[in-house]
Amino acid sequence: QVQLVESGGGLVQPGGSLRLSCVASGSISSITAMGWYRQAPGKQRELVAQITSGGTRNYADSVEDRFTVSRDNAKNTVYLQMNSLKPKDTAVYYCNVNGISGIVRAFNTWGQGTQVAVSS
């Protein structure tokens, strides 16, 4: 079993910043990729940013140059630094981690979600 605990969401004014954190724990042998998705009301869940074990980063076009994803491998933690936030960034943000648990069991685990609201 792999568990994720997210933190860092909240209410911020347009142009402000927030930092999300997600810690993975449990029976983890290796992590392939860690990332963040978001889901706004009435919309599908979408990829925001992802970082692989090799350090390759992928971003949604809408957040590139404003958001930065990073990870601390020793702590099994992924971060999302969000700057210049806009009202359209308002959504529930979900952490996602995939990798290998135990000897050969693949896992793909989601966090419980953290609300980010951007409003004046």
Side-chain angles (χ1 to χ4, degrees):
Q1 289 276 11
V2 176
Q3 299 83 36
L4 304 181
V5 177
E6 303 160 344
S7 60
L11 173 64
V12 64
Q13 292 187 339
S17 298
L18 283 174
R19 189 192 195 207
L20 305 182
S21 300
C22 174
V23 181
S25 64
S27 180
I28 299 172
S29 295
S30 63
I31 293 177
T32 303
M34 309 180 81
W36 294 91
Y37 289 70
R38 67 186 180 188
Q39 187 167 18
K43 295 188 176 181
Q44 289 188 333
R45 189 173 298 188
E46 64 175 357
L47 174 68
V48 177
Q50 186 184 63
I51 182 168
T52 68
S53 58
T56 299
R57 295 173 169 85
N58 296 304
Y59 294 96
D61 290 343
S62 60
V63 307
E64 198 152 17
D65 298 330
R66 298 188 298 123
F67 291 9
T68 301
V69 63
S70 61
R71 61 190 281 180
D72 184 332
N73 291 329
K75 297 180 179 179
N76 286 341
T77 301
V78 62
Y79 305 96
L80 184 67
Q81 178 65 43
M82 304 184 292
N83 299 327
S84 302
L85 281 160
K86 304 175 181 181
K88 66 179 182 179
D89 295 317
T90 295
V92 177
Y93 284 68
Y94 296 91
C95 177
N96 175 262
V97 177
N98 60 77
I100 302 297
S101 175
I103 300 177
V104 292
R105 178 174 295 180
F107 71 89
N108 183 32
T109 301
W110 293 88
Q112 79 281 4
T114 184
Q115 178 71 53
V116 171
V118 185
S119 175
S120 55

